[in-house]
Amino acid sequence: MDFRPTDEQALLRRTVREFAETEIRPHVREWDEAQHFPIELVPKLAALGLMGIQFDERHGGAGMSAVDYCICIEEVARVDPGVALSLAAHNGLCAAHINFFGSEAQKQTYLAPLARGEKVGAWGLTESTSGSDAAGMRTAAVRQGACCVLNGAKTFITHGRVGNVMVVMAVTDRSLGTKGISAFIVEHGTPGMSAGKKEDKLGMRASDTSEVLFENCRIPADRLLGAEGQGFVNTMQVLDAGRIGIAALSVGLAQGAYEAALAYSRERKAFGKTISSFQAIQWKLADSATRIEAARLLTYRAAYLKDRGERTTLESAMAKLYASEIAVRMADDCVQIHGGYGFVKDYPAEKYFRDVKLLTIGEGTSEIQRLVIARRVLART
Ligand SMILES: Cc1cc2nc3c(=O)[nH]c(=O)nc-3n(C[C@H](O)[C@H](O)[C@H](O)COP(=O)(O)OP(=O)(O)OC[C@H]3O[C@@H](n4cnc5c(N)ncnc54)[C@H](O)[C@@H]3O)c2cc1C
């Protein structure tokens, strides 16, 4: 067992951190206020390999490991969790689904431009009446000759408006339950597909979120992604990997909030002393530093197992659950340590506080992670 990053990983962290500090930090507030998805940043993200972090170089990717992926997401999230969420949805959901289950032709046609950052990816599972209970989806795909016709609506889709390529889950045979759900690749601009309402969000506002509607949307039958009827099972596998990314995002956000709180506690004076000299503040910092390290280790363990090709359902759920919940606590402590200044936009604390709540909801709520963990724990002999 070796807990140290390799020299290459240390360099990767420094490189992504420097990029986030220079290219993202100056715009964080502006993008948040305008609810602007920074499409102009995509070529720069791509130049660093961040649009195709874990994919093969022959598919346009940077060929990095799952642990490297965590480092990248963490460092972007430390500065702007909204941009990190976009990276996680693009890499960890849309492109990953095509990478795991696409044919070679689909990888060349769709994965490679996504990985090179020429296109932005979206992934549609959730609907207005089915989130946690994803198998209750209503969107349907009906075969008509050489085409499939999609009808339905997806809700809360990251890059629903700005994405070029979307992986969509739809019912192909309702009588088969979860075995009657299939995945399809749909290109934005296909007649019958349109972006619906853009969500006005509490946080993560630099990440585009909207409805996506399908009305008699005809796509060639060869856009089926993976085997027919395997869409739901494959989705669970995509989420096992995706949740490691959300765990890394949580660690990065918590790290950013912790650093902001630490720096402020060293400057702010009360009763003639810096507030960092008060034991009440020191304990908050000590507990925070400890929790962040524990979350990071759980996250890297899940990533390490994924790199070894092992199934990580349990480890991913544990990492996602713990990291997102300690991040919520860290963002709360960050506001508390800032006092009144934590409540205004001149300091980063209030934004971390707004952004963080998505992390216990997206890619499976905390309740669903506990359900996954409990099932696995109870199945042990
Ligand atoms: C900003 C943002 C971006 C998103 N991006 C995407 C995306 O790109 N693609 C996509 O497909 N989806 C996306 N989502 C959707 C997200 O994954 C869902 O919101 C999430 O899975 C929860 O589903 P829901 O909102 O329908 O809540 P519900 O499932 O209705 O849950 C409501 C509450 O009930 C609880 N609950 C539900 N079932 C159980 C149970 N069995 N036991 C205990 N408690 C339960 C939940 O934990 C929650 O507290 C995004 C959401 C947001 C807010």
Side-chain angles (χ1 to χ4, degrees), residues 236-237 240 305-306 309-316 376:
M236 295 301 116
Q237 285 172 257
D240 280 351
L305 292 173
K306 176 173 183 280
E310 292 184 30
R311 184 172 177 181
T312 64
T313 306
L314 176 66
E315 292 78 7
S316 296
R376 295 258 142 195

Side-chain angles (χ1 to χ4, degrees), residues 85 89-90 93-94 121-134 154-160 166-167 169 199 201 203-205 207-210 239 243 357-358 360-369 371 375:
L85 180 66
H90 169 92
L93 296 177
C94 176
W123 189 81
L125 178 68
T126 306
E127 300 186 2
S128 62
T129 53
S130 59
S132 304
D133 179 19
K154 295 290 175 182
T155 307
F156 297 140
I157 303 308
T158 302
H159 306 149
M166 182 170 175
V167 172
M169 270 49 74
E199 301 298 346
K201 304 197 298 285
M204 301 290 197
R205 289 166 60 86
S207 180
D208 172 73
T209 314
S210 78
L239 286 173
R243 285 171 184 162
K357 197 57 204 147
L358 185 268
T360 61
I361 297 170
E363 296 201 28
T365 62
S366 284
E367 290 77 10
I368 295 302
Q369 304 312 313
L371 206 134
R375 267 191 205 136

Side-chain angles (χ1 to χ4, degrees), residues 231-305:
F232 190 78
V233 177
N234 292 352
T235 288
M236 295 301 116
Q237 285 172 257
V238 171
L239 286 173
D240 280 351
R243 285 171 184 162
I244 302 174
I246 300 300
L249 208 169
S250 305
V251 171
L253 188 155
Q255 180 70 35
Y258 166 77
E259 287 175 23
L262 182 68
Y264 186 79
S265 74
R266 284 179 167 143
E267 285 163 18
R268 177 70 176 174
K269 290 212 168 91
F271 302 94
K273 295 175 181 169
T274 56
I275 60 169
S276 62
S277 64
F278 301 133
Q279 197 178 51
I281 301 292
Q282 289 175 1
W283 284 21
K284 276 196 200 334
L285 293 169
D287 287 347
S288 300
T290 308
R291 286 189 205 111
I292 294 169
E293 278 309 309
R296 187 174 277 121
L297 289 173
L298 274 178
T299 304
Y300 289 180
R301 178 184 65 154
Y304 161 82
L305 292 173

Side-chain angles (χ1 to χ4, degrees), residues 54-55 92-103 107 111 225-226 234 237-242 306:
Q54 286 186 81
F55 311 118
L93 296 177
C94 176
H97 200 137
I98 301 173
N99 185 51
F100 282 142
F101 303 108
S103 64
K107 288 183 192 177
L111 177 60
L225 176 58
N234 292 352
Q237 285 172 257
V238 171
L239 286 173
D240 280 351
K306 176 173 183 280

Side-chain angles (χ1 to χ4, degrees), residues 6-212:
T6 62
D7 289 347
E8 290 76 21
Q9 285 168 337
L11 176 63
L12 176 67
R13 187 182 292 284
R14 283 200 301 277
T15 308
V16 181
R17 181 169 293 203
E18 197 180 305
F19 172 82
E21 291 292 348
T22 53
E23 299 291 343
I24 300 177
R25 175 91 68 198
H27 306 285
V28 170
R29 190 164 162 192
E30 164 202 336
W31 293 341
D32 176 60
E33 282 181 2
Q35 204 160 214
H36 170 67
F37 170 74
I39 192 91
E40 65 278 14
L41 188 70
V42 170
K44 294 179 184 172
L45 293 165
L48 266 189
L50 298 182
M51 296 297 282
I53 302 171
Q54 286 186 81
F55 311 118
D56 258 25
E57 287 166 24
R58 70 195 166 93
H59 296 133
M64 293 192 236
S65 69
V67 173
D68 298 340
Y69 177 71
C70 290
I71 292 170
C72 296
I73 296 290
E74 224 183 298
E75 288 303 322
V76 175
R78 175 181 162 272
V79 172
D80 194 336
V83 175
L85 180 66
S86 275
L87 280 179
H90 169 92
N91 277 276
L93 296 177
C94 176
H97 200 137
I98 301 173
N99 185 51
F100 282 142
F101 303 108
S103 64
E104 184 54 34
Q106 287 173 331
K107 288 183 192 177
Q108 291 298 342
T109 310
Y110 301 107
L111 177 60
L114 286 166
R116 289 195 295 261
E118 294 156 11
K119 294 194 170 168
V120 172
W123 189 81
L125 178 68
T126 306
E127 300 186 2
S128 62
T129 53
S130 59
S132 304
D133 179 19
M137 69 179 65
R138 294 184 181 174
T139 298
V142 176
R143 187 78 179 246
Q144 282 184 6
C147 288
C148 281
V149 182
L150 289 170
N151 276 292
K154 295 290 175 182
T155 307
F156 297 140
I157 303 308
T158 302
H159 306 149
R161 294 174 77 86
V162 303
N164 313 98
V165 173
M166 182 170 175
V167 172
V168 183
M169 270 49 74
V171 176
T172 40
D173 186 341
R174 206 167 290 283
S175 68
L176 295 177
T178 54
K179 299 269 169 57
I181 292 171
S182 306
F184 297 89
I185 303 172
V186 189
E187 287 176 274
H188 271 236
T190 306
M193 177 192 198
S194 59
K197 180 167 76 83
K198 174 174 171 164
E199 301 298 346
D200 189 2
K201 304 197 298 285
L202 169 73
M204 301 290 197
R205 289 166 60 86
S207 180
D208 172 73
T209 314
S210 78
E211 277 182 318
V212 179

